[in-house]
Amino acid sequence: MQLPVPSIRQRGTIALAAATVCVAACAATPAEPVPFKAVSADRIVKPGYTEPASGKVAVDIRRERTDDVIVRFRDALVYVDGERVTDLMNGERIVFYLTPGIHRLAVSTQFDPVRELQFIVTADPRYTNRASVRFDADHRIVLTRVAQ
């Protein structure tokens, strides 16, 4: 028994459907929402930034979760005012206690240059003291200030 040969139009439709499935399977999507977990104490190389003190304000930095295997297992190195403090893995967070004013928060990976953000720390409840670490479509690390 011989199967019929698809027409050129049918072959084009089949190829387009196969390409769409392949692209959809490769697209990065956010992982299921789960609570962020704290960075373990043994990975904090400068503990002074993570200890609450009088006159200091909490600054929350979170590494957004992703199911993209290209960046999922990369360490995101975190710096405060030029000093490496820790690294964040997928879905982790850390809280720094900093004096009000301008600080330099930065992130990097073994593949990316340092991305620095001038971060104004304020005790004013109208403003957020939270930042987000994520990876863009080109798998480059990004650090942004976010609303509560």
Side-chain angles (χ1 to χ4, degrees), residues 63-137:
R63 163 98 182 261
E64 301 302 327
R65 294 183 64 78
T66 182
D67 64 356
D68 186 339
V69 296
I70 295 175
V71 295
R72 182 181 200 162
F73 300 105
R74 282 195 205 167
D75 289 5
L77 307 175
V78 180
Y79 302 84
V80 176
D81 295 328
E83 293 188 81
R84 182 169 168 234
V85 179
T86 191
D87 62 305
L88 291 175
M89 296 300 291
N90 198 34
E92 288 185 329
R93 70 185 284 238
I94 189 162
V95 176
F96 296 126
Y97 294 92
L98 305 173
T99 56
I102 298 175
H103 291 273
R104 295 180 355 249
L105 300 181
V107 293
S108 183
T109 70
Q110 65 269 34
F111 303 108
D112 295 303
V114 174
R115 304 288 182 181
E116 188 172 283
L117 176 66
Q118 296 292 321
F119 196 90
I120 299 172
V121 176
T122 179
D124 188 336
R126 294 178 297 168
Y127 300 98
T128 179
N129 286 311
R130 197 172 99 191
S132 173
V133 178
R134 64 179 179 77
F135 289 85
D136 65 15

Side-chain angles (χ1 to χ4, degrees), residues 28-41:
T29 57
E32 291 296 317
V34 296
F36 287 91
K37 63 181 183 178
V39 172
S40 64

